[in-house]
Structures are given as C-alpha cells and as structure tokens.
Amino acid sequence: MTRNIIRIALTLVLAVPGVALARVPQAEPNVNTRYEVDSVSIAGVSESKVSHALRDDMQKLVGNKYDPDAAEELAKRLRKELGDYTVTVKVKRGEQPDHVTVVFDVERIRRSSFYFRPAPLLYTTNDGFSVAIVPTLETHHNFVSGGYVTSADELLERNMGWLVRYEHRKVGTDMVQVGLEYDYFHPSFQPETEAALALAPWVPGVYRVREVFSPSVSFLPIPDIKVTFGASFQTLDMQYPAPDEQAAHAYTFGVQFRRQEGSRRGLRHKIGADYSLRKASPSLESDFLYTRQLATADYTLSTRRHLFGFHFQGGHASGQLPLYERFSIGNATTLRGWDKFEVAPIGGANLVYGSLEYRYRLFQLFYDVGTVWDPGQPVDLKHSIGFGLAWNNGLFVSLGIPLRYHSVTPTFMFGFRM
C-alpha cells in the first residue's frame, strides 16, 4: 500500500510541469523616443511610499522627448526604494498626436524567502560542524537541488546523508507550485540522548536509517502568503529498543507569510510568520500516530545602521513522537549559549522560545529565553545573552553565554544563516 501511494504521488508531481524552452525575442529600437511626454504616474502602489526626490525626478520627464535610458534609471531607483516589487516602464499613447504618457507599473514579488535552503556552514563548540553542499539548477521555473548534508544543529540527531529536491514554481500560473523531495540519512545520537531514553520508555528509541519521501502542492493567493498541502512518508530502521522497521507517514500543512516594506524616512519593516502541522495517521499506514504543530514569528525594524529584532517560536505535539519530531532548542539559532542536551536530551512535546536582538552596523547583541518540556513536567525557562558580528549576506560570528549560577561556559558560533 505504501509503495503504491509513493508511486502515485511521484507520477502526479513529475507529470504536471515538464520543462519548456523559450526563445528570447530580439530587442527592437524604441520608436517612442520621438514622442513628447505628457505625464508620468505610478501604478500598483501608493505614491506616498515613494520619496519626494524620486517623484520630482520622475516629473522632469514631462515636456521632454521620451528617454528610455532615463526612464529605466528611475525604475531602478524605484525598485531600490520599494524593496520586494518589480517595476515595469509602460509607454502609452497621449491625448495629442506625437505625445505619450509614462506609467511605472509596480507589482509585488513572490519572494524566494518562502523556500527553505539548508545553511551551507555552521559551527558551535557544542555541536561541531554542520555542512550542506546542495547546489541548485534552475531552468524555466524548474528548480532541482541535491547534495550531501551533515547537520547536528536543529535536531537531537546528527543527520548525515543525501537529499534531492525538485520544484516547479509555475504550474500554469505562478500562483500554483509543486514540489518533491527525497532524503536518505544515517543518523547518529549522542550518549546523553541514549542514556535519557532508558529512563523514558514512552519515547521511541533511536534509528540507524531515516528515509523520507515528501510530495507537496502550494498556492500563493497573494504574493505575501504561501499555503502548502502535502504528505511525508518516512521509514525508520529502528535500533532501540529492538531492531525493526517502522513507518511515520503524515499529512502536512503549512502557511507562510512574508512582507518587507520601506518608508521615505529610511525605515524598513520585515515581517515573517509560519505555521506548520504534521499529522501521522493510520489512513497512511503509519506505525507512529501523532499531531505536531509549530508557529514562528519574526519582526525586524531597521535603518542604515540600526536593527531591532524580535523572534518567537511556539510548538505543541501529542501522541507517539519519533525523536526527529520532538522539539529541541540550544543551538546556533535558538537559546544560544546552552547545550541542547543539557536543556532536554530527548527534547520535549512542548516548546516556547523568544529572542530580542539589536545591531549597530555589524555589531550584534541578543537575549534569548525558552525551554522545551513534556506534559506533567515543570516549565523551566532558560536564559542566555550574547554578542557578535552579523553581515547582511548571512555570515555571523557570535558568543552565547548561558545565564545560570554555576559552570557558565560560553558557546562560540560562526557560519551562515539562510
């Protein structure tokens, strides 16, 4: 039954898009250069979002012969001010002969920030190196990526293995997308996790192989929102408490929101929010039965030199969770300074985490608070502070310091955040 489900899903996903070739037409001379500009306007966004200086320079086109180079330069400046928008210069016939009107047509971009990419390099003194060599090939809305991953940052296990992903981001329209992913990992576990499992018989044990097949379809009703429906077929080669092969097959659902805006005063607002649901069901012939929910929110306010940020994560799960589904914090991005195996060596079914950060140019200060716990356990919040350097391209170097009464050992971290 499971093999039939995977075969049907694979056939549907690969049959939808197909790779097409497009011939690029040759550019023709712009005949509008002999016409006089009657008016200039901006469509698709309120002119109040555009600086007075740029609007004044646009109006300088009026009364002169149309200059395509000058118009394109103004379009570039408009793209820079607005951020996540495309700008197209449209020239329309004027009311009088040999006259035209110029319209800067603005449309919000469906951003690539919706798509997860593993960090190419991370290092912490607690978890060591995490590396992802996953190049991407793009051709006519088809995105194929694949490569090798060894990561100990997010999960309780170190994932070592290979992954292959395929996405088609325009199925008839750019509002519909499909994806397919296959992963094959050989996980390894720390002694702290294996020792804690012996005291928690209700938690499933460790596994030597984790094989994942995940088809999905996504909808972007507006550029700021992406809604995804899919499934995750995971096979675990269990090692403890007894050798066995078990399935963790789940329906998946996710909603993502992204918005980035600028203002005439140089302030930039960036907002992100995600919600994900995974429900392992007997209808998919899953041996594990559980429900897992995770919500995240991020907000940053920045100028040229200053940035203020707030980050939040909250999660709840019920049922029989395999170890990779249990929440864990204490790494290069959450509760920095703490060791995840000291916070909770087998993770927890509940998660709460928050972070505040401030940056001046490259210099960064942060404060983290959070914990994970199981039902019936006390909620023991952990706190940490830290500082470091953070670049706009994602490169960072930082030192996290756990706040406690004894054996305070800072954690050194560096790498890339995608």
Side-chain angles (χ1 to χ4, degrees):
M1 178 65 179
T2 300
R3 293 180 178 177
N4 291 334
I5 293 173
I6 295 176
R7 188 180 299 112
I8 292 171
L10 177 62
T11 302
L12 289 175
V13 171
L14 294 181
V16 172
V19 179
L21 297 177
R23 181 174 297 174
V24 180
Q26 296 292 326
E28 297 181 357
N30 195 322
V31 297
N32 296 315
T33 55
R34 59 189 177 92
Y35 296 113
E36 184 175 324
V37 177
D38 272 347
S39 65
V40 176
S41 61
I42 302 172
V45 69
S46 172
E47 292 192 1
S48 63
K49 293 187 176 182
V50 183
S51 66
H52 289 292
L54 180 51
R55 280 185 283 168
D56 290 343
D57 288 344
M58 287 179 172
Q59 294 305 316
K60 291 178 182 179
L61 297 177
V62 178
N64 298 306
K65 296 294 184 181
Y66 176 68
D67 184 345
D69 293 334
E72 183 56 36
E73 182 61 31
L74 291 168
K76 290 181 180 178
R77 290 172 57 188
L78 185 57
R79 293 186 196 103
K80 185 175 180 180
E81 283 196 7
L82 295 177
D84 300 336
Y85 290 83
T86 60
V87 180
T88 305
V89 182
K90 295 183 178 180
V91 182
K92 300 182 178 181
R93 181 182 301 176
E95 296 182 357
Q96 303 179 22
D98 296 332
H99 285 66
V100 295
T101 62
V102 179
V103 179
F104 291 87
D105 192 40
V106 178
E107 184 178 359
R108 185 179 290 276
I109 298 173
R110 288 179 168 84
R111 291 180 52 81
S112 61
S113 59
F114 283 121
Y115 307 100
F116 169 77
R117 291 180 295 167
L121 176 67
L122 288 174
Y123 172 81
T124 73
T125 51
N126 291 329
D127 298 323
F129 281 97
S130 295
V131 179
I133 306 173
V134 186
T136 299
L137 173 65
E138 174 186 354
T139 170
H140 197 63
H141 307 297
N142 293 275
F143 294 77
V144 180
S145 59
Y148 175 76
V149 174
T150 173
S151 175
D153 187 57
E154 292 187 7
L155 304 180
L156 295 167
E157 63 205 61
R158 172 175 285 276
N159 270 334
M160 295 180 292
W162 302 87
L163 63 84
V164 178
R165 291 177 179 155
Y166 168 76
E167 293 175 299
H168 187 77
R169 297 181 185 172
K170 188 174 183 180
V171 182
T173 168
D174 57 6
M175 296 175 61
V176 181
Q177 305 168 352
V178 293
L180 180 68
E181 179 174 346
Y182 174 77
D183 306 333
Y184 190 88
F185 296 124
H186 284 280
S188 61
F189 297 85
Q190 293 294 324
E192 296 93 332
T193 296
E194 297 186 4
L197 284 172
L199 302 176
W202 63 89
V203 179
V206 300
Y207 31 87
R208 293 174 294 182
V209 174
R210 183 161 68 92
E211 189 174 8
V212 188
F213 176 80
S214 304
S216 64
V217 58
S218 300
F219 303 93
L220 288 82
I222 61 175
D224 295 332
I225 294 179
K226 180 179 180 181
V227 181
T228 301
F229 300 88
S232 174
F233 303 97
Q234 305 211 27
T235 302
L236 307 178
D237 187 2
M238 302 299 296
Q239 181 179 1
Y240 175 83
D244 188 19
E245 183 175 278
Q246 294 190 340
H249 298 167
Y251 296 105
T252 61
F253 171 76
V255 180
Q256 296 172 281
F257 173 81
R258 300 286 185 274
R259 174 166 290 182
Q260 181 173 320
E261 293 186 349
S263 71
R264 291 175 295 169
R265 298 181 179 180
L267 295 176
R268 298 191 66 83
H269 306 265
K270 189 174 182 180
I271 305 171
D274 292 8
Y275 169 78
S276 65
L277 169 68
R278 300 169 68 90
K279 184 173 182 60
S281 169
S283 63
L284 294 179
E285 298 186 356
S286 179
D287 297 310
F288 295 92
L289 303 178
Y290 63 87
T291 301
R292 182 185 192 270
Q293 300 180 78
L294 175 65
T296 67
D298 300 277
Y299 172 76
T300 59
L301 172 66
S302 60
T303 65
R304 290 185 59 187
R305 297 182 178 182
H306 303 272
L307 180 146
F308 300 88
F310 167 76
H311 313 282
F312 168 81
Q313 293 183 18
H316 172 70
S318 60
Q320 189 182 33
L321 295 167
L323 281 173
Y324 67 87
E325 293 282 36
R326 293 177 64 82
F327 298 110
S328 178
I329 57 174
N331 51 32
T333 54
T334 61
L335 203 59
R336 289 159 287 186
W338 284 87
D339 184 342
K340 66 166 73 77
F341 301 107
E342 187 176 359
V343 176
I346 55 173
N350 299 288
L351 160 70
V352 62
Y353 167 75
S355 177
L356 297 173
E357 68 170 318
Y358 168 73
R359 298 183 193 177
Y360 176 75
R361 294 183 181 270
L362 299 180
F363 183 70
Q364 177 191 40
L365 294 171
F366 59 83
Y367 163 71
D368 295 349
V369 58
T371 191
V372 297
W373 73 98
D374 279 327
Q377 293 181 344
V379 180
D380 182 15
L381 288 175
K382 310 292 186 183
H383 304 261
S384 68
I385 58 174
F387 60 91
L389 301 175
W391 286 261
N392 291 332
N393 63 1
L395 176 65
F396 73 95
V397 179
S398 58
L399 194 70
I401 304 170
L403 298 181
R404 54 187 174 186
Y405 294 109
H406 59 85
S407 62
V408 176
T409 304
T411 298
F412 174 72
M413 301 161 283
F414 75 85
F416 289 90
R417 294 191 182 94
M418 304 303 292

